[in-house]
Amino acid sequence: MQSLIEIQQQLLPDLLIVMRKRYLILRQVMLSDMIGRRTLAASLDMTERVLRAETDFLKAQELLLIDAAGMRISDAGKRLLEDMEPFYKAMFGLSELEERIRKHFGLKQVVIVSGDSDASPHTKRELGRAGCAVLSKAMKNDDVIAVTGGSTLAQVANQLTVQTPLKGNWFVPARGGLGESLDYQANTIVSTMAKRTGAQYRMLHVPDHLGEEAYTSLMQEPNVREIVEVIRKARIVIHGIGDAMVMARRRRVDAAVVDALKAEGALAESFGYYFDRSGSVVHKMLTAGLRIEDIMETEVVIAIAGGRSKGEAIAAVMRFGHDDVLVTDEAAALEIAAIIDQEE
């Protein structure tokens, strides 16, 4: 028997176009908190005349609040978006795409948000919100959660909320991170997550990459050794994924190592390890914190990464085979699907 969505696509295709347009307007306004018509029109690639007609309709339905300062979504609009999300995913093929990627990489769950994080900060924020939902569902009492750095994980931290304080939980950095932008350091992110959830946190004040002598010396320090032991016992790891060359430049890796990474076919970077197209580790940077063997033993591993430019990198880390959940965006998911097509 045909689904209602399939019937609508055949008999009322224009209705689905209008529904998608209005859904995207409401979603963009919600992600922006407050936004002007001109900015909204530009972000949706829509003329102001068309947008005015749609926002006037949504205001009349009491889904948008509009005044001289701009527009924001109403409580009724937020509830409608929540109710529409699964329908929207089914209507535009995201549910099918989630299931295809999940099966191909043997994951427990894939969550795809619409848009492209490379092109829209609002999509990156939505990626963070979806990551919050996955993390909140995974957390139990007295958990240790290890978190990597990065702009996407910072979005998760800034939106994380819980119904009851997690007093027995600990957020810890997955590894050292001094040298990165302060806002995106794992230490900053775990502090924010803990404060927003009523949990506790520990910091690891060591550089991201260490020489062998410095590593040996640091690991003899009782305080460092103690926090590293806690990190390596984490039940949940939540991490980002980066393009290998981009991450190497950002971390000021010396030219000889960059050349070696290229020669080894490094395509992706995550938790201090570099992966080739097949998901094999081709290079690791000596760092205090999580090791690859710890990731393999971790009960719940959640990857959050998006943007068309990261499609190949995400696929490479998924082939490594030790993630349980992937949270990504539509642009990256389509790139991953294209890679899957080439393999099949």
Side-chain angles (χ1 to χ4, degrees):
M1 185 176 178
Q2 282 186 306
S3 71
L4 178 60
I5 291 172
E6 290 172 333
I7 293 170
Q8 286 178 325
Q9 285 172 334
Q10 290 179 6
L11 294 179
L12 298 164
D14 292 349
L15 176 63
L16 294 183
I17 292 170
V18 173
M19 187 182 298
R20 184 176 192 269
K21 185 191 299 179
R22 291 173 180 170
Y23 173 90
L24 291 174
I25 290 169
L26 287 173
R27 176 179 169 273
Q28 195 79 322
V29 173
M30 183 184 74
L31 292 174
S32 304
D33 293 328
M34 174 73 78
I35 191 170
R37 184 175 282 116
R38 182 172 298 177
T39 303
L40 181 59
S43 65
L44 294 171
D45 196 21
M46 193 180 296
T47 67
E48 288 191 55
R49 183 180 63 81
V50 170
L51 180 65
R52 183 178 292 108
E54 296 296 346
T55 54
D56 286 347
F57 171 83
L58 294 170
K59 180 183 178 182
Q61 296 297 111
E62 299 183 345
L63 300 172
L64 281 184
L65 303 171
I66 304 177
D67 55 32
M71 60 186 82
R72 63 187 188 279
I73 195 166
S74 67
D75 290 340
K78 290 178 183 177
R79 288 195 295 271
L80 180 65
L81 280 183
E82 289 176 3
D83 292 341
M84 277 189 68
E85 188 169 357
F87 178 69
Y88 177 87
K89 285 190 172 186
M91 185 165 52
F92 296 103
L94 294 189
S95 295
E96 184 180 336
L97 191 55
E98 287 174 340
E99 183 61 11
R100 187 178 182 208
I101 292 171
R102 187 195 70 77
K103 282 185 175 179
H104 185 81
F105 293 109
L107 299 164
K108 292 180 181 176
Q109 183 184 11
V110 173
V111 177
I112 300 172
V113 302
S114 60
D116 182 352
S117 298
D118 287 344
S120 169
H122 303 303
T123 299
K124 180 167 279 192
R125 185 176 175 188
E126 182 71 354
L127 198 60
R129 186 191 67 81
C132 287
V134 170
L135 178 58
S136 296
K137 187 176 179 181
M139 284 191 295
K140 300 177 181 178
N141 292 330
D142 303 319
D143 263 341
V144 175
I145 304 101
V147 185
T148 67
S151 59
T152 304
L153 272 296
Q155 285 289 349
V156 177
N158 291 332
Q159 298 179 75
L160 189 60
T161 57
V162 292
Q163 291 183 335
T164 56
L166 302 173
K167 295 179 180 178
N169 288 37
W170 287 87
F171 287 92
V172 295
R175 55 188 180 142
L178 298 182
E180 295 182 41
S181 168
L182 181 62
D183 290 343
Y184 301 152
Q185 285 183 21
N187 280 335
T188 305
I189 291 170
V190 299
S191 169
T192 302
M193 285 181 165
K195 289 170 184 174
R196 290 185 63 85
T197 59
Q200 303 174 77
Y201 66 97
R202 299 288 298 274
M203 290 187 172
L204 183 60
H205 294 290
V206 299
D208 189 19
H209 295 149
L210 297 165
E212 196 164 332
E213 187 176 337
Y215 176 82
T216 302
S217 177
L218 272 171
M219 292 305 289
Q220 290 175 352
E221 292 289 331
N223 290 340
V224 173
R225 193 165 62 245
E226 181 200 356
I227 180 60
V228 168
E229 286 175 1
V230 173
I231 291 168
R232 290 175 178 174
K233 292 176 182 176
R235 192 182 73 86
I236 299 173
V237 172
I238 180 166
H239 68 93
I241 295 170
D243 174 274
M245 293 303 110
V246 171
M247 297 307 295
R249 287 194 299 270
R250 187 177 298 171
R251 294 192 173 126
R252 298 180 179 87
V253 173
D254 63 60
V257 175
V258 171
D259 289 342
L261 288 171
K262 290 177 180 177
E264 292 162 344
L267 190 67
E269 188 276 343
S270 194
F271 33 80
Y273 290 78
Y274 290 83
F275 302 82
D276 66 11
R277 192 176 301 277
S278 69
S280 299
V281 175
V282 295
H283 192 87
K284 65 177 181 179
M285 308 300 288
L286 204 55
T287 180
L290 278 180
R291 302 161 299 186
I292 206 80
E293 53 265 39
D294 302 315
I295 297 290
M296 293 176 178
E297 297 296 324
T298 302
E299 188 174 330
V300 182
V301 183
I302 303 167
I304 306 181
R308 187 179 304 278
S309 64
K310 287 189 180 178
E312 281 193 310
I314 295 168
V317 175
M318 291 306 101
R319 288 194 194 95
F320 171 61
H322 292 280
D323 278 275
D324 298 294
V325 182
L326 170 64
V327 182
T328 190
D329 61 26
E330 187 175 2
L334 290 172
E335 289 294 309
I336 295 167
I339 293 167
I340 294 171
D341 286 339
Q342 294 170 5
E343 296 175 350
E344 292 178 347

